[in-house]
Amino acid sequence: MSLTKTLLALALTGAALSAQAGVTYTATSGNTSAVSGVTTIDFNNGLLPTGFATYDTLNAIMPAGGYPGESAPPPGDVTRYFSVGTSHGQVSSSSVTFGGNGVSYFGYFMGSPDSYNVVTLYSGNTAILQINGSDMAHAASLMADGDQSHGFYMNFATNSGTTISSVTFSSNSNAFETDNHSYIAAVPEPETYAMLLTGLGLVGFASRRRREPSEERFY
């Protein structure tokens, strides 16, 4: 089942569904992704994630328990988590950038939605989707009132050849808390595979042509 169909099925079971510029998003219950085949980043080692998914600042990784009254982990989360905001040395904005062809799916567990929580998805340098805490809360059939007992999992899936190359979390107050970031790396489009195979075929043909004169000397 495709990611879009999977998220549509999840939406029809009770989560809200919306789409913009080749991206479909839903809110589902639980603190982990319901999509199979994801890679999950839980921040538990306290190190700055690098590699295919590269985060730009260590200051967005909060200690277990957070800072009561200012930055609280999503409900039930007793480990380190990711947060942006304006207190305790946090940054008001932090991004994750993906290597390769980007990702076709991205998700995160979040709590206490507030209207000033903002997430922006980019494809290259182009913002393809920006939603705030009110949009995210609405997707989960909740109010963006900062209720720390409310938690849900946000899911973003691409379609129409769109991929996500980076995601920025931002908040101009206290705070936007998330955890268990998950993604699925995008694969080249069929046209890209065709071009790659054609290129490999031309390389093979050129290699054979280069070998032919030397091979003739053995006859």
Side-chain angles (χ1 to χ4, degrees), residues 1-13 26 28 33-36 105 155 157:
M1 180 182 291
S2 69
L3 284 173
T4 300
K5 289 181 178 179
T6 299
L7 295 183
L8 177 59
L10 293 171
L12 293 176
T13 63
T26 65
T28 52
S33 176
V35 176
S36 62
Y105 166 84
N155 307 272

Side-chain angles (χ1 to χ4, degrees), residues 1 4 113 129 138 147 156:
M1 180 182 291
T4 300
L129 176 68
H138 178 70
D147 189 331
F156 301 84

Side-chain angles (χ1 to χ4, degrees), residues 23-137:
V23 182
T24 299
Y25 68 88
T26 65
T28 52
S29 61
N31 60 4
T32 57
S33 176
V35 176
S36 62
V38 300
T39 298
T40 299
I41 299 170
D42 59 19
F43 308 101
N44 290 350
N45 61 10
L47 301 176
L48 191 66
T50 58
F52 180 82
T54 301
Y55 287 75
D56 61 3
T57 175
L58 187 63
N59 289 346
I61 301 177
M62 297 290 104
Y67 302 103
E70 296 184 12
S71 175
D77 192 334
V78 296
T79 64
R80 291 179 180 269
Y81 62 100
F82 181 92
S83 180
V84 293
T86 58
S87 67
H88 276 92
Q90 292 184 86
V91 290
S92 60
S93 177
S94 183
S95 301
V96 52
T97 301
F98 302 103
N101 297 294
V103 299
S104 57
Y105 166 84
F106 182 70
Y108 52 84
F109 177 46
M110 67 172 291
S112 56
D114 289 293
S115 60
Y116 47 78
N117 301 154
V118 177
V119 63
T120 308
L121 279 62
Y122 293 87
S123 183
N125 294 321
T126 302
I128 55 175
L129 176 68
Q130 182 177 85
I131 58 175
N132 61 28
S134 296
D135 300 318
M136 291 179 262

Side-chain angles (χ1 to χ4, degrees), residues 134-218:
S134 296
D135 300 318
M136 291 179 262
H138 178 70
S141 300
L142 297 170
M143 298 292 292
D145 55 7
D147 189 331
Q148 294 183 3
S149 68
H150 289 159
F152 50 92
Y153 205 88
M154 287 297 300
N155 307 272
F156 301 84
T158 63
N159 51 63
S160 303
T162 303
T163 60
I164 301 167
S165 57
S166 64
V167 179
T168 297
F169 296 83
S170 58
S171 178
N172 61 12
S173 188
N174 303 322
F176 184 9
E177 306 98 342
T178 63
D179 203 355
N180 297 336
H181 293 189
S182 297
Y183 64 85
I184 294 178
V187 297
E189 293 297 309
E191 294 83 0
T192 305
Y193 279 123
M195 293 174 63
L196 176 62
L197 292 173
T198 299
L200 291 174
L202 291 173
V203 170
F205 177 74
S207 177
R208 288 194 298 273
R209 289 294 300 270
R210 286 196 299 270
R211 287 199 302 268
E212 285 173 359
S214 60
E215 289 170 352
E216 290 174 355
R217 289 198 294 270
F218 292 98

